[in-house]
Amino acid sequence: MENAMKTPPAQTWDDNVVLSVEHLTMRFGGLIAVNDLSFNVGRGDITALIGPNGAGKTTVFNCVTGFYKPTEGRIVMRHGAGLQADKIEALTRTGRQFNDDGDDRVFLLERMPDFEISKRAKVARTFQNIRLFGGMTALENLLVAQHNPLMLASSMTIGGIFNLPGYRKARAEAIDFAAYWLEKTGLIDRADDPAADLPYGDQRRLEIARAMCTKPHLLCLDEPAAGLNPRESTELNNLLQYIRKDHGTSILLIEHDMGVVMEISDHVVVLDYGQKISDGTADQVKNDPKVISAYLGVDEDEVAAVEESIDMPVIHGKTKPAENGEGGQS
Amino acid sequence: MSAAVKPGLVADSVKDAAIAALLVAVLGFFFFALRTDIGTGGLDLTYRWGLWFIAIAIAFGGRLLLNLFVFKTAKPITGGMSISIPEGVKSGIGRVLGPVLLLIALTLPFIVMAVYPDRDRQFIDLAILIMTYVMLGWGLNIVVGLAGLLDLGYVAFYAVGAYSFALLAQYFQIGFWTALPLAGLLAAVWGIILGYPVLRLRGDYLAIVTLAFGEIIRVVLLNWYEFTGGPDGISGIPKPSFFGLDFSRTGGFAEFFGLDYDSIHRFIYLYYIILILALITNFVTLRLRKLPIGRAWEALREDEIACRSLGINTTNTKLTAFSIGAMFGGLAGSFFATRQGFISPESFTFLESAIILAIVVLGGLGSQIGVVIASVVMIGGIEILRNLGFLKEIFGPDFEPTQYRMLIFGLAMVLIMVWKPRGIISSRNPSAVYKERKKISSDMVAQGEGH
């Protein structure tokens, strides 16, 4: 919480941006799921996307990771530092998906097919309902995630069939890398067990480990703490902090568990009815009357009245039922 | 028994048996009780009430006994019949089974010649047929078992391979060994051409479209009379040579090696060709499974969306599975053409696809040894029926056992599906191991129904 206080008003995530969502609109027939949404994800930050049920969070995720094609808007992923505004404008005009700038590439995600976003733009994701390869072992799951480098190493399978030394080396390295992530997620003892056999909390962590095996610049987590007990939640927090600190991977997460959100997020974006209603540090957002009204399902002036009567409005995990109950009707 | 009888057991059982008997009475009325024969000036109707009552009585009695002693009782008498093999023995058998089968396959022609000297040609021919289905099963296993794409038109690639060789031989006088790789290549290309538009479909839809494509190929072969000979087929397809030596009476293989000419030589040669082709299929499949591409196939079977989120190009991955499976189908097809010497669209009906798929499914999706067992049982089983002469002595000279093969087929499938719903060999071997190799129970493995 102290970190948040120190943050200067000129927000860091607007200066060093890894992902920017610009004027994103997603329509399903007559339904507008996301409406003219813009926000930035700072490099090395943990950014949380929150909002009541049905606010359009997962739709934003699916647009960023290419599972939906946005109706309007631009989604830019930057590998190099800085805003690179000129480069992006030039790229937008060419109609290409990304530029050839060595390591400092920029990518226009709305133009790319989903698998290319993971392969080239290095955006990895997990799913709200866990999508592991249940019949494959934990180790195999992590090896599938390293498919593209391994395909190259096996010279598109031909070198692999003859078991050439180059492929053997790459394979050993891939297993080591998978073992590293199994170690970090505390799953190393279950490496040879089928993923469907793992307990729920382990499956969540395995999915994060699998996403990390694609060596992403940005990791998108869709409700990583859903269904976890308090101890597992704490472990998850530590894991995410570790990923951010030691691997420099930026994290964008959707989460309902306010305990997790408030504790680890550097930057919180709040959605309601497909529109951004608040954007700032955890503390700023927590005290924003718009957010409170969205979560409690009351009008803003009512919030003001309530705020006067009780000193400090607090959104914690405890107020969660309200979000499910009345959030949709206000 | 009276102690174990629950109150109401007898009443329940009788009621249930009566319902079964009623069903037999209704259904059997038209099959058993009435019989129509073509007579003078129309149909002659004969009544067979005795037969009808016997069928009803059998259904009632059988159902009643099953109810009393198996279905409804607390202690079914079949309880002791399920054999539980200890895990150690099981894995021991699993380890030994493959090499033993391979050894048998390698020496089979000589075993047959030693044991059945007077029927050796017939048995080696049967072995060739079974081996062809083993190869087809292994090829389809890549598509259905590993990648989880339900392909009901696999016979199309078998046909493409067979016709490629037959037409190349007819129009360009190309021999078997030159045509074999070309036929494989052409089938693979056809796999890509057919696969590209249909692979965006999943599950049932994919099955229907592949079924249609299989029929389209057959119908084209049937109707393009000027090119393929249509229903007349293509005959005079050349036999394979042994390094340029033909298996002919003079100046061929036998003379070169100083042997007495015997037509069995060619059969043995054909057997080894298909054995080697099948073993190549097996070797390549086993290698591919452990490579990234094979793992991607299995991942695709498990969850396609997760694959895409990990940067796997699912279209290309499906196409490789489809075309590699098609290639092996094509190789088997051109072998089929050279073995038969004559092919026509008759040989490539939907029933062939169904039999190959049944072999893969009964063997256990993704299991190599299961395919072998299933093809030996299914293809060999039909042939054994032809040779059951003693049944004629029991049921009279009019009894023809092969007439009952579809009945036995169906019964076998029902039994397997009840006893082992995931096929004979139903565990998965992981493709990579960190410390300890553990078999994965099939309950966890997805079957590729499309999520």
Side-chain angles (χ1 to χ4, degrees):
Chain A
M1 302 296 150
E2 284 165 332
N3 284 344
M5 295 302 184
K6 278 185 245 162
T7 315
Q11 312 285 23
T12 55
W13 52 80
D14 290 332
D15 298 333
N16 192 3
V17 191
V18 64
L19 176 86
S20 51
V21 173
E22 299 165 19
H23 305 289
L24 176 71
T25 298
M26 184 74 210
R27 281 192 210 100
F28 297 104
L31 179 84
I32 301 176
V34 178
N35 192 6
D36 196 23
L37 173 73
S38 303
F39 68 92
N40 288 330
V41 176
R43 188 177 304 280
D45 281 355
I46 294 180
T47 308
L49 194 59
I50 65 170
N53 286 349
K57 305 179 297 287
T58 301
T59 307
V60 173
F61 249 51
N62 283 337
C63 288
V64 169
T65 51
F67 283 83
Y68 293 159
K69 286 278 154 269
T71 320
E72 284 166 33
R74 183 166 70 176
I75 307 169
V76 185
M77 176 77 193
R78 298 170 181 81
H79 282 183
L83 279 176
Q84 311 180 53
D86 300 342
K87 225 190 257 178
I88 293 164
E89 286 308 320
L91 180 62
T92 309
R93 277 192 298 274
T94 59
R96 293 175 53 214
Q97 296 175 342
F98 48 86
N99 61 359
D100 310 307
D101 255 7
D103 289 339
D104 282 355
R105 285 179 172 180
V106 290
F107 300 83
L108 298 180
L109 300 188
E110 79 279 3
R111 294 179 179 178
M112 298 171 72
D114 43 15
F115 69 93
E116 295 261 323
I117 288 181
S118 168
K119 184 179 169 183
R120 295 183 194 278
K122 293 285 171 198
V123 178
R125 74 169 291 179
T126 65
F127 295 87
Q128 200 169 350
N129 45 341
I130 303 171
R131 283 185 174 274
L132 286 168
F133 306 123
M136 306 173 85
T137 65
L139 178 71
E140 285 182 292
N141 268 274
L142 301 198
L143 289 179
V144 172
Q146 302 177 58
H147 177 77
N148 288 317
L150 278 174
M151 271 310 261
L152 276 181
S154 70
S155 15
M156 293 301 157
T157 301
I158 292 150
I161 285 195
F162 298 107
N163 213 4
L164 299 181
Y167 171 68
R168 278 212 299 272
K169 187 160 155 282
R171 185 185 136 87
E173 279 168 7
I175 290 182
D176 285 348
F177 190 62
Y180 165 81
W181 276 110
L182 286 171
E183 197 93 57
K184 283 294 160 210
T185 46
L187 295 168
I188 193 74
D189 294 332
R190 315 240 20 203
D192 291 319
D193 285 322
D197 226 4
L198 301 177
Y200 190 78
D202 288 0
Q203 292 194 8
R204 283 250 172 245
R205 287 204 307 283
L206 181 60
E207 210 189 8
I208 294 173
R210 188 179 68 179
M212 286 310 293
C213 277
T214 62
K215 301 187 178 164
H217 288 219
L218 175 68
L219 177 64
C220 298
L221 305 171
D222 199 346
E223 300 204 26
L228 300 188
N229 64 34
R231 190 179 54 81
E232 288 172 327
S233 274
T234 317
E235 282 172 11
L236 176 78
N237 283 357
N238 295 338
L239 178 65
L240 296 187
Q241 297 281 15
Y242 171 80
I243 287 173
R244 179 258 294 267
K245 220 169 89 222
D246 285 48
H247 288 267
T249 306
S250 321
I251 296 174
L252 173 65
L253 58 93
I254 291 177
E255 191 47 73
H256 277 302
D257 185 336
M258 289 302 149
V260 173
V261 171
M262 294 303 158
E263 199 182 322
I264 64 171
S265 314
D266 305 296
H267 174 195
V268 180
V269 177
V270 190
L271 290 190
D272 195 17
Y273 293 110
Q275 275 167 324
K276 186 165 83 172
I277 57 169
S278 187
D279 187 342
T281 63
D283 271 1
Q284 287 166 349
V285 163
K286 197 156 66 175
N287 296 315
D288 188 333
K290 277 186 180 166
V291 177
I292 299 162
S293 71
Y295 267 81
L296 298 181
V298 289
D299 289 334
E300 266 176 66
D301 33 336
E302 283 180 58
V303 173
V306 174
E307 264 181 37
E308 279 166 22
S309 63
I310 53 168
D311 286 344
M312 185 64 191
V314 181
I315 300 172
H316 267 309
K318 285 167 198 159
T319 58
K320 251 180 100 178
E323 146 219 325
N324 294 333
E326 291 178 325
Q329 283 133 36
S330 68
Chain B
M1 208 60 221
S2 60
V5 172
K6 286 182 290 181
L9 170 68
V10 177
D12 269 3
S13 305
V14 171
K15 196 173 144 199
D16 186 75
I19 293 170
L22 184 71
L23 282 175
V24 172
V26 172
L27 291 175
F29 183 75
F30 301 100
F31 299 111
F32 296 128
L34 304 179
R35 184 188 166 91
T36 50
D37 291 298
I38 295 167
T40 45
L43 290 176
D44 278 349
L45 197 61
T46 42
Y47 299 98
R48 299 186 296 184
W49 298 115
L51 191 66
W52 187 49
F53 281 120
I54 290 170
I56 295 171
I58 290 174
F60 183 80
R63 186 81 194 179
L64 187 64
L65 288 176
L66 278 174
N67 277 334
L68 284 176
F69 297 114
V70 184
F71 294 156
K72 302 209 180 213
T73 164
K75 278 188 271 176
I77 51 167
T78 49
M81 277 164 66
S82 57
I83 317 150
S84 58
I85 306 166
E87 201 51 47
V89 178
K90 227 181 194 172
S91 67
I93 292 175
R95 218 171 304 133
V96 174
L97 190 61
V100 167
L101 283 181
L102 179 63
L103 205 68
I104 294 175
L106 283 174
T107 53
L108 191 72
F110 302 101
I111 296 174
V112 168
M113 279 161 73
V115 180
Y116 297 102
D118 47 342
R119 297 176 68 184
D120 50 3
R121 267 179 58 176
Q122 189 195 345
F123 280 121
I124 292 176
D125 202 40
L126 175 60
I128 293 172
L129 188 68
I130 292 175
M131 206 52 89
T132 315
Y133 278 94
V134 170
M135 179 168 175
L136 286 169
W138 278 341
L140 185 62
N141 210 358
I142 296 176
V143 185
V144 181
L146 293 184
L149 305 165
L150 186 52
D151 182 358
L152 287 182
Y154 190 62
V155 80
F157 307 121
Y158 192 39
V160 166
Y163 268 88
S164 302
F165 171 42
L167 292 171
L168 283 170
Q170 195 180 27
Y171 289 105
F172 302 105
Q173 281 76 46
I174 288 177
F176 175 70
W177 291 110
T178 325
L180 187 69
L182 287 176
L185 205 67
L186 276 170
V189 169
W190 269 104
I192 293 173
I193 292 171
L194 294 191
Y196 201 77
V198 307
L199 285 178
R200 65 187 63 226
L201 303 174
R202 293 186 206 167
D204 312 347
Y205 304 99
L206 178 69
I208 291 170
V209 176
T210 51
L211 173 90
F213 268 123
E215 285 298 285
I216 287 170
I217 295 250
R218 189 177 64 85
V219 171
V220 167
L221 291 175
L222 196 61
N223 288 291
W224 197 357
Y225 191 83
E226 302 77 34
F227 186 57
T228 64
D232 302 345
I234 298 172
S235 55
I237 300 166
K239 300 285 170 203
S241 62
F242 181 80
F243 296 103
L245 296 171
D246 287 333
F247 288 83
S248 53
R249 195 167 287 279
T250 50
F253 175 82
E255 205 174 279
F256 186 82
F257 287 99
L259 300 166
D260 292 332
Y261 173 77
D262 191 339
S263 62
I264 193 83
H265 291 158
R266 205 184 73 229
F267 282 88
I268 296 175
Y269 183 52
L270 281 173
Y271 175 79
Y272 279 111
I273 291 176
I274 188 65
L275 179 64
I276 288 167
L277 284 176
L279 287 178
I280 290 173
T281 312
N282 184 34
F283 171 77
V284 170
T285 311
L286 289 179
R287 276 285 334 135
L288 287 178
R289 259 207 72 202
K290 293 191 191 304
L291 290 177
I293 184 75
R295 243 188 322 262
W297 290 340
E298 289 199 84
L300 202 63
R301 177 190 66 199
E302 298 281 329
D303 195 324
E304 189 178 334
I305 289 175
C307 276
R308 291 214 301 271
S309 84
L310 297 173
I312 295 174
N313 184 339
T314 49
T315 313
N316 286 357
T317 309
K318 283 179 183 178
L319 276 181
T320 52
F322 217 63
S323 63
I324 290 175
M327 182 185 78
F328 289 124
L331 295 179
S334 69
F335 173 80
F336 174 77
T338 192
R339 178 185 93 111
Q340 299 287 79
F342 165 77
I343 52 167
S344 75
E346 284 285 278
S347 313
F348 309 105
T349 53
F350 169 66
L351 188 66
E352 286 303 298
S353 287
I355 288 178
I356 303 165
L357 188 67
I359 286 173
V360 174
V361 172
L362 291 183
L365 290 174
S367 156
Q368 297 293 91
I369 222 113
V371 166
V372 178
I373 297 171
S375 15
V376 169
V377 171
M378 287 190 56
I379 308 301
I382 295 173
E383 293 302 313
I384 285 171
L385 283 178
R386 288 192 214 282
N387 296 303
L388 296 179
F390 69 90
L391 287 176
K392 283 196 177 163
E393 283 157 31
I394 302 171
F395 294 102
D398 291 340
F399 186 77
E400 186 54 62
T402 44
Q403 284 186 348
Y404 294 87
R405 71 176 200 282
M406 282 300 151
L407 189 71
I408 294 168
F409 242 45
L411 214 58
M413 284 207 194
V414 170
L415 283 179
I416 287 275
M417 289 303 125
V418 169
W419 171 56
K420 285 215 141 185
R422 289 303 192 103
I424 299 166
I425 309 286
S426 55
S427 62
R428 181 181 172 268
N429 231 336
S431 66
V433 180
Y434 184 66
K435 275 203 179 74
E436 179 194 356
R437 182 174 292 278
K438 295 176 188 168
K439 292 254 182 198
I440 297 171
S441 142
S442 59
D443 315 334
M444 295 173 188
V445 181
Q447 279 176 314
E449 48 278 271
H451 299 271

